[in-house]
Amino acid sequence: MNTRKWAILILALAIFLAVGVSLLSDHAGQATGAQPDPVPIAPPAPGLSAAQSPIPVYTLQGRFETVDASKTPLLFFAPWCPHCQADVPNVQKELAAMQTHRHVILVATFLHTSDQQQAIAQVQTFIAKYHITMPVVIQADQATQYVREVPTLVWTNKTIHEGLPTQENLQLALAK
């Protein structure tokens, strides 16, 4: 074979090996229970958003309820999300510093299980680890029906702030 054919063959082999290693590492992470890296979430289904209420949830006691963003601001989060792990405790501190009588409800979403008891356990672990005292519920529907990413702060019937909730956004959400 000439040099060009060898070069193409080696390049093809390198690509094949890189794809194979990538697939194997993804499969190994799933087999060991490792959480996937956060990635942008798919857009919500057409015509649906977190600003449409009521949103079906269940409590940490397993009771079905609904929450309404037009009455109480909602902060959607995922226990496995590194941003949420940093942001939710900070939001709690900001709310305490504001000394408001209103509160924000945390809505756990994008959980890695469809089993209600496992979901409750995941959320309770998050609450204990980060000393969360805010009200917390678990979204009962498919996550992408309401938000595209976490954390997402939702208030009134129109306002959705994706990403880290700022002090200004918290003040706006609570000034009703």
Side-chain angles (χ1 to χ4, degrees), residues 139-156:
Q139 185 177 332
D141 287 9
Q142 289 182 347
T144 55
Q145 285 190 304
Y146 301 105
V147 295
R148 294 182 298 171
E149 63 186 52
V150 288
T152 295
L153 179 64
V154 180
W155 70 96
T156 71

Side-chain angles (χ1 to χ4, degrees), residues 123-146:
V123 173
Q124 287 174 328
T125 299
F126 178 88
I127 290 168
K129 181 174 183 180
Y130 297 101
H131 310 287
I132 303 302
T133 58
M134 300 165 60
V136 181
V137 294
I138 299 171
Q139 185 177 332
D141 287 9
Q142 289 182 347
T144 55
Q145 285 190 304
Y146 301 105

Side-chain angles (χ1 to χ4, degrees), residues 76-144:
F76 287 81
F77 78 100
W80 53 263
C81 167
H83 300 291
C84 300
Q85 292 167 358
D87 296 346
V88 171
N90 288 336
V91 167
Q92 183 167 274
K93 288 176 190 168
E94 288 284 339
L95 290 171
M98 293 166 99
Q99 297 180 343
T100 179
H101 67 282
R102 296 199 60 216
H103 61 270
V104 173
I105 296 176
L106 296 175
V107 181
T109 190
F110 299 113
L111 298 170
H112 293 292
T113 182
S114 59
D115 179 78
Q116 185 183 37
Q117 293 308 312
Q118 288 178 356
I120 290 170
Q122 287 178 12
V123 173
Q124 287 174 328
T125 299
F126 178 88
I127 290 168
K129 181 174 183 180
Y130 297 101
H131 310 287
I132 303 302
T133 58
M134 300 165 60
V136 181
V137 294
I138 299 171
Q139 185 177 332
D141 287 9
Q142 289 182 347
T144 55

